[in-house]
Structure formats: C-alpha cells, structure tokens
PDB file of all heavy atoms in Angstrom:
ATOM      1  N   GLY D   1     -10.051   3.097  15.714  1.00 92.00           N
ATOM      2  CA  GLY D   1     -10.054   4.485  15.310  1.00 92.00           C
ATOM      3  C   GLY D   1     -10.806   5.305  16.340  1.00 92.00           C
ATOM      4  O   GLY D   1     -11.525   4.776  17.182  1.00 92.00           O
ATOM      5  N   SER D   2     -10.600   6.604  16.303  1.00 95.00           N
ATOM      6  CA  SER D   2     -11.269   7.500  17.237  1.00 95.00           C
ATOM      7  C   SER D   2     -10.916   8.929  16.886  1.00 95.00           C
ATOM      8  O   SER D   2     -10.176   9.187  15.945  1.00 95.00           O
ATOM      9  CB  SER D   2     -10.854   7.185  18.677  1.00 95.00           C
ATOM     10  OG  SER D   2      -9.463   7.409  18.840  1.00 95.00           O
ATOM     11  N   LYS D   3     -11.421   9.844  17.670  1.00 97.00           N
ATOM     12  CA  LYS D   3     -11.043  11.248  17.548  1.00 97.00           C
ATOM     13  C   LYS D   3      -9.938  11.494  18.559  1.00 97.00           C
ATOM     14  O   LYS D   3     -10.092  11.196  19.739  1.00 97.00           O
ATOM     15  CB  LYS D   3     -12.231  12.159  17.814  1.00 97.00           C
ATOM     16  CG  LYS D   3     -11.912  13.620  17.639  1.00 97.00           C
ATOM     17  CD  LYS D   3     -13.173  14.448  17.635  1.00 97.00           C
ATOM     18  CE  LYS D   3     -12.874  15.928  17.552  1.00 97.00           C
ATOM     19  NZ  LYS D   3     -12.231  16.356  16.351  1.00 97.00           N
ATOM     20  N   LEU D   4      -8.797  11.989  18.090  1.00 97.00           N
ATOM     21  CA  LEU D   4      -7.657  12.275  18.943  1.00 97.00           C
ATOM     22  C   LEU D   4      -7.398  13.777  18.924  1.00 97.00           C
ATOM     23  O   LEU D   4      -7.443  14.395  17.863  1.00 97.00           O
ATOM     24  CB  LEU D   4      -6.416  11.537  18.443  1.00 97.00           C
ATOM     25  CG  LEU D   4      -6.529  10.022  18.321  1.00 97.00           C
ATOM     26  CD1 LEU D   4      -5.313   9.446  17.604  1.00 97.00           C
ATOM     27  CD2 LEU D   4      -6.686   9.390  19.687  1.00 97.00           C
ATOM     28  N   SER D   5      -7.155  14.352  20.093  1.00 97.00           N
ATOM     29  CA  SER D   5      -6.889  15.791  20.151  1.00 97.00           C
ATOM     30  C   SER D   5      -5.878  16.077  21.243  1.00 97.00           C
ATOM     31  O   SER D   5      -5.507  15.192  22.016  1.00 97.00           O
ATOM     32  CB  SER D   5      -8.192  16.560  20.401  1.00 97.00           C
ATOM     33  OG  SER D   5      -8.765  16.162  21.627  1.00 97.00           O
ATOM     34  N   GLY D   6      -5.418  17.302  21.282  1.00 97.00           N
ATOM     35  CA  GLY D   6      -4.417  17.698  22.260  1.00 97.00           C
ATOM     36  C   GLY D   6      -3.093  17.960  21.586  1.00 97.00           C
ATOM     37  O   GLY D   6      -3.011  18.110  20.367  1.00 97.00           O
ATOM     38  N   LEU D   7      -2.037  18.009  22.392  1.00 96.00           N
ATOM     39  CA  LEU D   7      -0.707  18.295  21.864  1.00 96.00           C
ATOM     40  C   LEU D   7       0.032  17.044  21.405  1.00 96.00           C
ATOM     41  O   LEU D   7       0.921  17.118  20.562  1.00 96.00           O
ATOM     42  CB  LEU D   7       0.137  19.026  22.907  1.00 96.00           C
ATOM     43  CG  LEU D   7      -0.378  20.415  23.285  1.00 96.00           C
ATOM     44  CD1 LEU D   7       0.461  21.015  24.392  1.00 96.00           C
ATOM     45  CD2 LEU D   7      -0.394  21.326  22.068  1.00 96.00           C
ATOM     46  N   LYS D   8      -0.315  15.873  21.958  1.00 96.00           N
ATOM     47  CA  LYS D   8       0.319  14.634  21.517  1.00 96.00           C
ATOM     48  C   LYS D   8      -0.496  13.439  21.978  1.00 96.00           C
ATOM     49  O   LYS D   8      -1.326  13.547  22.884  1.00 96.00           O
ATOM     50  CB  LYS D   8       1.756  14.525  22.000  1.00 96.00           C
ATOM     51  CG  LYS D   8       1.936  14.530  23.497  1.00 96.00           C
ATOM     52  CD  LYS D   8       3.409  14.481  23.822  1.00 96.00           C
ATOM     53  CE  LYS D   8       3.656  14.630  25.301  1.00 96.00           C
ATOM     54  NZ  LYS D   8       5.066  14.526  25.632  1.00 96.00           N
ATOM     55  N   GLY D   9      -0.254  12.302  21.338  1.00 97.00           N
ATOM     56  CA  GLY D   9      -0.953  11.074  21.685  1.00 97.00           C
ATOM     57  C   GLY D   9      -0.382   9.893  20.929  1.00 97.00           C
ATOM     58  O   GLY D   9       0.515  10.035  20.100  1.00 97.00           O
ATOM     59  N   THR D  10      -0.912   8.715  21.224  1.00 97.00           N
ATOM     60  CA  THR D  10      -0.447   7.464  20.630  1.00 97.00           C
ATOM     61  C   THR D  10      -1.635   6.671  20.122  1.00 97.00           C
ATOM     62  O   THR D  10      -2.706   6.707  20.718  1.00 97.00           O
ATOM     63  CB  THR D  10       0.309   6.627  21.697  1.00 97.00           C
ATOM     64  OG1 THR D  10       1.408   7.390  22.175  1.00 97.00           O
ATOM     65  CG2 THR D  10       0.829   5.329  21.135  1.00 97.00           C
ATOM     66  N   PHE D  11      -1.452   5.940  19.026  1.00 97.00           N
ATOM     67  CA  PHE D  11      -2.479   5.033  18.521  1.00 97.00           C
ATOM     68  C   PHE D  11      -1.807   3.876  17.797  1.00 97.00           C
ATOM     69  O   PHE D  11      -0.658   3.988  17.388  1.00 97.00           O
ATOM     70  CB  PHE D  11      -3.492   5.761  17.620  1.00 97.00           C
ATOM     71  CG  PHE D  11      -2.898   6.448  16.421  1.00 97.00           C
ATOM     72  CD1 PHE D  11      -2.996   5.874  15.164  1.00 97.00           C
ATOM     73  CD2 PHE D  11      -2.258   7.677  16.537  1.00 97.00           C
ATOM     74  CE1 PHE D  11      -2.463   6.502  14.056  1.00 97.00           C
ATOM     75  CE2 PHE D  11      -1.720   8.312  15.436  1.00 97.00           C
ATOM     76  CZ  PHE D  11      -1.824   7.728  14.189  1.00 97.00           C
ATOM     77  N   THR D  12      -2.525   2.757  17.680  1.00 96.00           N
ATOM     78  CA  THR D  12      -1.978   1.552  17.051  1.00 96.00           C
ATOM     79  C   THR D  12      -3.029   0.895  16.169  1.00 96.00           C
ATOM     80  O   THR D  12      -4.226   1.148  16.317  1.00 96.00           O
ATOM     81  CB  THR D  12      -1.532   0.509  18.102  1.00 96.00           C
ATOM     82  OG1 THR D  12      -2.678   0.022  18.792  1.00 96.00           O
ATOM     83  CG2 THR D  12      -0.548   1.096  19.101  1.00 96.00           C
ATOM     84  N   SER D  13      -2.565   0.017  15.303  1.00 96.00           N
ATOM     85  CA  SER D  13      -3.483  -0.822  14.546  1.00 96.00           C
ATOM     86  C   SER D  13      -4.138  -1.805  15.522  1.00 96.00           C
ATOM     87  O   SER D  13      -3.604  -2.058  16.601  1.00 96.00           O
ATOM     88  CB  SER D  13      -2.740  -1.558  13.435  1.00 96.00           C
ATOM     89  OG  SER D  13      -1.673  -2.312  13.975  1.00 96.00           O
ATOM     90  N   PRO D  14      -5.287  -2.373  15.174  1.00 96.00           N
ATOM     91  CA  PRO D  14      -5.967  -3.306  16.079  1.00 96.00           C
ATOM     92  C   PRO D  14      -5.076  -4.485  16.461  1.00 96.00           C
ATOM     93  O   PRO D  14      -4.366  -5.031  15.622  1.00 96.00           O
ATOM     94  CB  PRO D  14      -7.166  -3.791  15.272  1.00 96.00           C
ATOM     95  CG  PRO D  14      -7.349  -2.804  14.188  1.00 96.00           C
ATOM     96  CD  PRO D  14      -6.012  -2.203  13.921  1.00 96.00           C
ATOM     97  N   ASN D  15      -5.078  -4.833  17.723  1.00 95.00           N
ATOM     98  CA  ASN D  15      -4.364  -5.984  18.286  1.00 95.00           C
ATOM     99  C   ASN D  15      -2.850  -5.838  18.337  1.00 95.00           C
ATOM    100  O   ASN D  15      -2.169  -6.787  18.712  1.00 95.00           O
ATOM    101  CB  ASN D  15      -4.696  -7.287  17.541  1.00 95.00           C
ATOM    102  CG  ASN D  15      -6.170  -7.574  17.508  1.00 95.00           C
ATOM    103  OD1 ASN D  15      -6.902  -7.232  18.424  1.00 95.00           O
ATOM    104  ND2 ASN D  15      -6.618  -8.201  16.439  1.00 95.00           N
ATOM    105  N   PHE D  16      -2.286  -4.699  17.922  1.00 93.00           N
ATOM    106  CA  PHE D  16      -0.830  -4.558  17.911  1.00 93.00           C
ATOM    107  C   PHE D  16      -0.269  -4.865  19.291  1.00 93.00           C
ATOM    108  O   PHE D  16      -0.823  -4.416  20.278  1.00 93.00           O
ATOM    109  CB  PHE D  16      -0.421  -3.136  17.497  1.00 93.00           C
ATOM    110  CG  PHE D  16       1.065  -2.973  17.353  1.00 93.00           C
ATOM    111  CD1 PHE D  16       1.681  -3.300  16.171  1.00 93.00           C
ATOM    112  CD2 PHE D  16       1.837  -2.519  18.406  1.00 93.00           C
ATOM    113  CE1 PHE D  16       3.057  -3.180  16.038  1.00 93.00           C
ATOM    114  CE2 PHE D  16       3.206  -2.395  18.288  1.00 93.00           C
ATOM    115  CZ  PHE D  16       3.820  -2.727  17.103  1.00 93.00           C
ATOM    116  N   PRO D  17       0.787  -5.658  19.430  1.00 92.00           N
ATOM    117  CA  PRO D  17       1.701  -6.168  18.414  1.00 92.00           C
ATOM    118  C   PRO D  17       1.300  -7.523  17.830  1.00 92.00           C
ATOM    119  O   PRO D  17       2.075  -8.132  17.111  1.00 92.00           O
ATOM    120  CB  PRO D  17       3.023  -6.289  19.175  1.00 92.00           C
ATOM    121  CG  PRO D  17       2.614  -6.626  20.567  1.00 92.00           C
ATOM    122  CD  PRO D  17       1.312  -5.900  20.780  1.00 92.00           C
ATOM    123  N   SER D  18       0.115  -8.016  18.149  1.00 93.00           N
ATOM    124  CA  SER D  18      -0.379  -9.233  17.482  1.00 93.00           C
ATOM    125  C   SER D  18      -0.925  -8.845  16.109  1.00 93.00           C
ATOM    126  O   SER D  18      -1.001  -7.678  15.764  1.00 93.00           O
ATOM    127  CB  SER D  18      -1.485  -9.877  18.322  1.00 93.00           C
ATOM    128  OG  SER D  18      -0.961 -10.322  19.553  1.00 93.00           O
ATOM    129  N   HIS D  19      -1.342  -9.808  15.350  1.00 94.00           N
ATOM    130  CA  HIS D  19      -1.818  -9.554  13.991  1.00 94.00           C
ATOM    131  C   HIS D  19      -3.159  -8.836  13.979  1.00 94.00           C
ATOM    132  O   HIS D  19      -4.046  -9.144  14.763  1.00 94.00           O
ATOM    133  CB  HIS D  19      -1.932 -10.874  13.215  1.00 94.00           C
ATOM    134  CG  HIS D  19      -0.596 -11.445  12.874  1.00 94.00           C
ATOM    135  ND1 HIS D  19       0.191 -12.107  13.787  1.00 94.00           N
ATOM    136  CD2 HIS D  19       0.100 -11.432  11.715  1.00 94.00           C
ATOM    137  CE1 HIS D  19       1.318 -12.484  13.203  1.00 94.00           C
ATOM    138  NE2 HIS D  19       1.285 -12.086  11.946  1.00 94.00           N
ATOM    139  N   TYR D  20      -3.266  -7.878  13.082  1.00 95.00           N
ATOM    140  CA  TYR D  20      -4.539  -7.182  12.898  1.00 95.00           C
ATOM    141  C   TYR D  20      -5.502  -8.085  12.130  1.00 95.00           C
ATOM    142  O   TYR D  20      -5.079  -8.989  11.409  1.00 95.00           O
ATOM    143  CB  TYR D  20      -4.349  -5.844  12.179  1.00 95.00           C
ATOM    144  CG  TYR D  20      -3.596  -5.902  10.865  1.00 95.00           C
ATOM    145  CD1 TYR D  20      -4.215  -6.311   9.688  1.00 95.00           C
ATOM    146  CD2 TYR D  20      -2.258  -5.538  10.807  1.00 95.00           C
ATOM    147  CE1 TYR D  20      -3.523  -6.353   8.484  1.00 95.00           C
ATOM    148  CE2 TYR D  20      -1.562  -5.576   9.607  1.00 95.00           C
ATOM    149  CZ  TYR D  20      -2.196  -5.977   8.460  1.00 95.00           C
ATOM    150  OH  TYR D  20      -1.515  -6.019   7.272  1.00 95.00           O
ATOM    151  N   PRO D  21      -6.802  -7.888  12.292  1.00 95.00           N
ATOM    152  CA  PRO D  21      -7.770  -8.732  11.587  1.00 95.00           C
ATOM    153  C   PRO D  21      -7.874  -8.360  10.109  1.00 95.00           C
ATOM    154  O   PRO D  21      -7.587  -7.224   9.732  1.00 95.00           O
ATOM    155  CB  PRO D  21      -9.083  -8.449  12.317  1.00 95.00           C
ATOM    156  CG  PRO D  21      -8.894  -7.127  12.946  1.00 95.00           C
ATOM    157  CD  PRO D  21      -7.432  -6.962  13.220  1.00 95.00           C
ATOM    158  N   PRO D  22      -8.299  -9.312   9.281  1.00 94.00           N
ATOM    159  CA  PRO D  22      -8.508  -9.003   7.863  1.00 94.00           C
ATOM    160  C   PRO D  22      -9.766  -8.153   7.681  1.00 94.00           C
ATOM    161  O   PRO D  22     -10.615  -8.082   8.568  1.00 94.00           O
ATOM    162  CB  PRO D  22      -8.677 -10.380   7.220  1.00 94.00           C
ATOM    163  CG  PRO D  22      -9.179 -11.241   8.327  1.00 94.00           C
ATOM    164  CD  PRO D  22      -8.577 -10.709   9.582  1.00 94.00           C
ATOM    165  N   GLN D  23      -9.847  -7.511   6.541  1.00 93.00           N
ATOM    166  CA  GLN D  23     -11.022  -6.741   6.127  1.00 93.00           C
ATOM    167  C   GLN D  23     -11.428  -5.726   7.205  1.00 93.00           C
ATOM    168  O   GLN D  23     -12.551  -5.715   7.694  1.00 93.00           O
ATOM    169  CB  GLN D  23     -12.183  -7.682   5.798  1.00 93.00           C
ATOM    170  CG  GLN D  23     -13.097  -7.141   4.749  1.00 93.00           C
ATOM    171  CD  GLN D  23     -14.024  -8.219   4.229  1.00 93.00           C
ATOM    172  OE1 GLN D  23     -14.216  -9.271   4.834  1.00 93.00           O
ATOM    173  NE2 GLN D  23     -14.615  -7.951   3.089  1.00 93.00           N
ATOM    174  N   THR D  24     -10.468  -4.879   7.565  1.00 94.00           N
ATOM    175  CA  THR D  24     -10.680  -3.898   8.626  1.00 94.00           C
ATOM    176  C   THR D  24     -10.388  -2.501   8.107  1.00 94.00           C
ATOM    177  O   THR D  24      -9.460  -2.303   7.327  1.00 94.00           O
ATOM    178  CB  THR D  24      -9.749  -4.204   9.820  1.00 94.00           C
ATOM    179  OG1 THR D  24     -10.051  -5.507  10.307  1.00 94.00           O
ATOM    180  CG2 THR D  24      -9.908  -3.210  10.939  1.00 94.00           C
ATOM    181  N   THR D  25     -11.173  -1.548   8.548  1.00 96.00           N
ATOM    182  CA  THR D  25     -10.925  -0.139   8.275  1.00 96.00           C
ATOM    183  C   THR D  25     -10.997   0.613   9.592  1.00 96.00           C
ATOM    184  O   THR D  25     -11.978   0.488  10.325  1.00 96.00           O
ATOM    185  CB  THR D  25     -11.962   0.445   7.289  1.00 96.00           C
ATOM    186  OG1 THR D  25     -11.890  -0.285   6.064  1.00 96.00           O
ATOM    187  CG2 THR D  25     -11.703   1.918   7.028  1.00 96.00           C
ATOM    188  N   CYS D  26      -9.959   1.366   9.896  1.00 97.00           N
ATOM    189  CA  CYS D  26      -9.907   2.196  11.097  1.00 97.00           C
ATOM    190  C   CYS D  26      -9.634   3.630  10.671  1.00 97.00           C
ATOM    191  O   CYS D  26      -8.812   3.863   9.783  1.00 97.00           O
ATOM    192  CB  CYS D  26      -8.789   1.759  12.028  1.00 97.00           C
ATOM    193  SG  CYS D  26      -8.833   0.030  12.519  1.00 97.00           S
ATOM    194  N   VAL D  27     -10.292   4.583  11.322  1.00 97.00           N
ATOM    195  CA  VAL D  27     -10.099   5.995  11.007  1.00 97.00           C
ATOM    196  C   VAL D  27      -9.859   6.763  12.298  1.00 97.00           C
ATOM    197  O   VAL D  27     -10.668   6.695  13.225  1.00 97.00           O
ATOM    198  CB  VAL D  27     -11.327   6.573  10.263  1.00 97.00           C
ATOM    199  CG1 VAL D  27     -11.134   8.055   9.983  1.00 97.00           C
ATOM    200  CG2 VAL D  27     -11.590   5.814   8.972  1.00 97.00           C
ATOM    201  N   TRP D  28      -8.738   7.477  12.342  1.00 98.00           N
ATOM    202  CA  TRP D  28      -8.429   8.353  13.461  1.00 98.00           C
ATOM    203  C   TRP D  28      -8.467   9.781  12.944  1.00 98.00           C
ATOM    204  O   TRP D  28      -7.753  10.131  12.002  1.00 98.00           O
ATOM    205  CB  TRP D  28      -7.039   8.071  14.025  1.00 98.00           C
ATOM    206  CG  TRP D  28      -6.912   6.737  14.678  1.00 98.00           C
ATOM    207  CD1 TRP D  28      -7.148   6.427  15.986  1.00 98.00           C
ATOM    208  CD2 TRP D  28      -6.512   5.508  14.060  1.00 98.00           C
ATOM    209  NE1 TRP D  28      -6.929   5.098  16.213  1.00 98.00           N
ATOM    210  CE2 TRP D  28      -6.532   4.509  15.043  1.00 98.00           C
ATOM    211  CE3 TRP D  28      -6.130   5.160  12.761  1.00 98.00           C
ATOM    212  CZ2 TRP D  28      -6.196   3.195  14.776  1.00 98.00           C
ATOM    213  CZ3 TRP D  28      -5.800   3.846  12.496  1.00 98.00           C
ATOM    214  CH2 TRP D  28      -5.826   2.875  13.492  1.00 98.00           C
ATOM    215  N   ASP D  29      -9.310  10.618  13.523  1.00 97.00           N
ATOM    216  CA  ASP D  29      -9.351  12.039  13.208  1.00 97.00           C
ATOM    217  C   ASP D  29      -8.518  12.749  14.268  1.00 97.00           C
ATOM    218  O   ASP D  29      -8.827  12.687  15.459  1.00 97.00           O
ATOM    219  CB  ASP D  29     -10.790  12.563  13.232  1.00 97.00           C
ATOM    220  CG  ASP D  29     -11.624  11.986  12.099  1.00 97.00           C
ATOM    221  OD1 ASP D  29     -11.121  11.966  10.959  1.00 97.00           O
ATOM    222  OD2 ASP D  29     -12.763  11.562  12.357  1.00 97.00           O
ATOM    223  N   ILE D  30      -7.454  13.394  13.827  1.00 98.00           N
ATOM    224  CA  ILE D  30      -6.524  14.052  14.751  1.00 98.00           C
ATOM    225  C   ILE D  30      -6.673  15.559  14.600  1.00 98.00           C
ATOM    226  O   ILE D  30      -6.638  16.086  13.479  1.00 98.00           O
ATOM    227  CB  ILE D  30      -5.072  13.634  14.465  1.00 98.00           C
ATOM    228  CG1 ILE D  30      -4.925  12.113  14.586  1.00 98.00           C
ATOM    229  CG2 ILE D  30      -4.113  14.355  15.403  1.00 98.00           C
ATOM    230  CD1 ILE D  30      -3.576  11.581  14.175  1.00 98.00           C
ATOM    231  N   GLU D  31      -6.832  16.232  15.734  1.00 98.00           N
ATOM    232  CA  GLU D  31      -6.928  17.696  15.729  1.00 98.00           C
ATOM    233  C   GLU D  31      -6.056  18.257  16.848  1.00 98.00           C
ATOM    234  O   GLU D  31      -6.112  17.791  17.983  1.00 98.00           O
ATOM    235  CB  GLU D  31      -8.368  18.144  15.914  1.00 98.00           C
ATOM    236  CG  GLU D  31      -8.550  19.633  15.761  1.00 98.00           C
ATOM    237  CD  GLU D  31     -10.006  20.068  15.769  1.00 98.00           C
ATOM    238  OE1 GLU D  31     -10.890  19.198  15.780  1.00 98.00           O
ATOM    239  OE2 GLU D  31     -10.235  21.281  15.762  1.00 98.00           O
ATOM    240  N   VAL D  32      -5.235  19.238  16.493  1.00 97.00           N
ATOM    241  CA  VAL D  32      -4.378  19.918  17.459  1.00 97.00           C
ATOM    242  C   VAL D  32      -4.825  21.379  17.518  1.00 97.00           C
ATOM    243  O   VAL D  32      -5.627  21.817  16.695  1.00 97.00           O
ATOM    244  CB  VAL D  32      -2.879  19.779  17.080  1.00 97.00           C
ATOM    245  CG1 VAL D  32      -2.459  18.302  17.069  1.00 97.00           C
ATOM    246  CG2 VAL D  32      -2.572  20.428  15.748  1.00 97.00           C
ATOM    247  N   PRO D  33      -4.323  22.170  18.473  1.00 97.00           N
ATOM    248  CA  PRO D  33      -4.753  23.569  18.583  1.00 97.00           C
ATOM    249  C   PRO D  33      -4.545  24.356  17.288  1.00 97.00           C
ATOM    250  O   PRO D  33      -3.634  24.064  16.501  1.00 97.00           O
ATOM    251  CB  PRO D  33      -3.878  24.127  19.711  1.00 97.00           C
ATOM    252  CG  PRO D  33      -3.560  22.925  20.551  1.00 97.00           C
ATOM    253  CD  PRO D  33      -3.430  21.790  19.577  1.00 97.00           C
TER     254      PRO D  33
END
C-alpha cells in the first residue's frame, strides 16, 4: 500500500502474480487533482 497521486498509476496485491501472503492488509490512498 502507499499514497498514489497524479492522473494515473498502477498497483498490485503483494507478490502479484505469485500468491499473496496470508493475514495481510494493504491500503492505497489515491488522490487525483
């Protein structure tokens, strides 16, 4: 997770395309103009 800003961007679950870990929480805060 992270803070994402701008007009566009990309993000993935952890380890994608491999398996994500169990008991995980990710938060992405997205802000555009």
Side-chain angles (χ1 to χ4, degrees):
S2 63
K3 183 168 176 64
L4 303 171
S5 60
L7 295 176
K8 61 183 174 178
T10 301
F11 58 102
T12 67
S13 56
N15 304 328
F16 185 85
S18 295
H19 288 77
Y20 53 79
Q23 210 167 17
T24 300
T25 300
C26 305
V27 178
W28 293 271
D29 292 314
I30 302 174
E31 187 173 354
V32 299

